[in-house]
Amino acid sequence: MTTPPKRQLNGRLIAVVAAVAVAAVAVGGALAYRQSPEPASSNLAAPLGGTPSPTPSPTPTPVLTSTPVAVSKPTPKPSLTPKPPSTTTPEAPSGPVALEAAKLTQGRDPQLAYRFDRTVLGAGKELKVPSSGSLMEVARLGTSVLATTSGGELLKVGSSGAVISRTPHVMTLAGTADQSAVAYATTPPVVVGEQTYGAKLYTDNGASVRSLDLPDVQSIYVLAYTKDKIYYKASVKGSETTLKLYSWTPGAAKPVAVKTVTGDVLAVSEDGRLASALPSKNTGDGCSTVVEIATGRKRFKTCDYRVTGFTPDGSVAIGTPAYGDSYCSNIITALDSRSGSVERQWSGCFYEAVAEDEQHLLMVAVVAGGGQDPNTKTTVVRCALDTAACERATGIVAAKQVDFAR
């Protein structure tokens, strides 16, 4: 499947296929990890709707259901929005919750767009991308789907399943959360023995396409498309080995260098307030720093986890092991984005983890096999941030690539 905890550039904009995500580290000495989901008798994840069951329920069960109670006023929805600073140190979790994905009950489908191989599902009509090769990244644009192929071609597929347009030399894209626009970038083909430059950044809102020429750019990777800005990292002429963060407001004559954030940026929050980055120089320590984009203020630094994303409200940072030498991450961690303290952890074998909303994470979990095993089976698991309870959001599938739209 799927992407490692964020796709990496290898010099000339080659995005790494997601099935080689970072893996096992020992965290806090809590558990000894293996390269497959590890059961635990005392810290076993229960489904969101009840106790674990070896037989999936044939009818989707609501997430976090409860018996209706008559009240005089509406009960506010639980939220993980930022809370006032506390003078006391929060109690750390006792240890990761071990997931046995095959034993979890079946819940509702993912509320984000996702794909099994070349079929894009969720948050819209199911569409199959007509490509003979594997896909790298996908994004929804209304009822259409945009997808990049391993050969560097961008396919735009209409609601009927037919290809509307093809754009060469594209290997990076990202869409807005409401699926109203998609950003992508082109670069010239690699010429062996030559330094080539010249990228072009595009935004497509379904009705029109805007573009920005970037003549000095050599490598470019689109990180996020917020409501009004596109964030991307790029290397430019004279600094070919350094990736810097930029933003572009569609329609503006030029991009803006984001000088408040240094290093190799891994993720930008959906609201454009936070970024996570690795050190500017590749020291190999794997440390991630979470920074406020507007001010440059550092929220926290962690050398235990690599911060690969945030919840939509920015209150929780998603962490995978800082070091890895296998095909999956053996632990997923939810961190308080203000302090970096651990809020929740799940152990198993995961290809990817993203926020579904402010209250839930979606994880691609290996059920059997893994890596290059042709009999590998996976599923998407939903886990609640407030209780750590989990359920399966999809069936168990034999798809080689399971990924979330960007």
Side-chain angles (χ1 to χ4, degrees), residues 46-386:
L48 293 177
T51 57
S53 170
T55 304
S57 171
T59 303
T61 55
V63 179
L64 299 174
T65 58
S66 60
T67 303
V69 178
V71 292
S72 57
K73 296 181 180 180
T75 302
K77 180 183 176 181
S79 174
L80 291 179
T81 51
K83 299 168 283 188
S86 173
T87 56
T88 60
T89 303
E91 184 178 351
S94 58
V97 175
L99 290 185
E100 287 186 298
K103 294 185 177 182
L104 297 176
T105 56
Q106 185 83 29
R108 65 175 180 173
D109 292 340
Q111 300 305 290
L112 302 178
Y114 62 103
R115 69 182 174 100
F116 290 152
D117 292 330
R118 291 186 291 275
T119 301
V120 181
L121 310 97
K125 181 180 178 180
E126 177 179 325
L127 280 176
K128 185 172 182 178
V129 178
S131 171
S132 58
S134 60
L135 304 182
M136 300 295 288
E137 297 177 335
V138 299
R140 276 199 180 274
L141 177 60
T143 58
S144 301
V145 165
L146 277 73
T148 57
T149 69
S150 56
E153 184 177 41
L154 176 69
L155 304 177
K156 186 175 184 180
V157 182
S159 58
S160 66
V163 176
I164 298 173
S165 63
R166 298 174 181 268
T167 307
H169 312 310
V170 178
M171 295 193 74
T172 177
L173 61 80
T176 57
D178 63 2
Q179 303 176 21
S180 64
V182 172
Y184 57 93
T186 63
T187 54
V190 176
V191 178
V192 178
E194 295 184 16
Q195 292 278 21
T196 55
Y197 303 91
K200 199 165 188 174
L201 185 61
Y202 293 85
T203 174
D204 184 348
N205 65 6
S208 63
V209 177
R210 292 180 175 181
S211 63
L212 176 70
D213 288 319
L214 302 168
D216 293 333
V217 166
Q218 184 177 70
S219 297
I220 184 171
Y221 182 76
V222 180
L223 289 161
Y225 198 156
T226 64
K227 290 182 179 180
D228 59 352
K229 288 183 181 180
I230 298 167
Y231 287 90
Y232 67 92
K233 60 182 177 181
S235 62
V236 300
K237 188 178 297 185
S239 301
E240 286 82 0
T241 60
T242 302
L243 292 167
K244 295 183 179 180
L245 181 64
Y246 299 85
S247 69
W248 178 54
T249 301
K254 59 182 181 180
V256 175
V258 182
K259 298 180 180 180
T260 54
V261 183
T262 59
D264 182 6
V265 178
L266 297 176
V268 172
S269 63
E270 186 179 302
D271 56 11
R273 292 191 301 114
L274 300 175
S276 68
L278 296 175
S280 299
K281 295 182 179 180
N282 186 10
T283 59
D285 59 12
C287 301
S288 291
T289 302
V290 172
V291 181
E292 294 178 2
I293 294 176
T295 64
R297 185 174 79 87
K298 294 181 180 179
R299 290 279 188 92
F300 69 88
K301 179 180 179 179
T302 174
C303 295
D304 294 321
Y305 313 105
R306 177 170 293 195
V307 176
T308 59
F310 302 90
T311 52
D313 62 359
S315 64
V316 173
I318 303 169
T320 60
Y323 306 94
D325 57 2
S326 186
Y327 57 84
C328 65
S329 296
N330 280 15
I331 192 167
I332 299 296
T333 304
L335 303 163
D336 186 322
S337 68
R338 300 162 301 167
S339 64
S341 62
V342 174
E343 294 191 340
R344 298 290 180 190
Q345 288 184 310
W346 297 268
S347 65
C349 183
F350 308 103
Y351 284 154
E352 189 175 5
V354 300
E356 182 180 39
D357 52 36
E358 285 83 356
Q359 298 295 324
H360 304 94
L361 298 188
L362 294 174
M363 313 174 196
V364 179
V366 176
V367 175
Q372 301 302 313
D373 187 338
N375 299 315
T376 295
K377 293 183 178 180
T378 58
T379 185
V380 176
V381 172
R382 173 185 294 107
C383 293
L385 289 167
D386 57 350

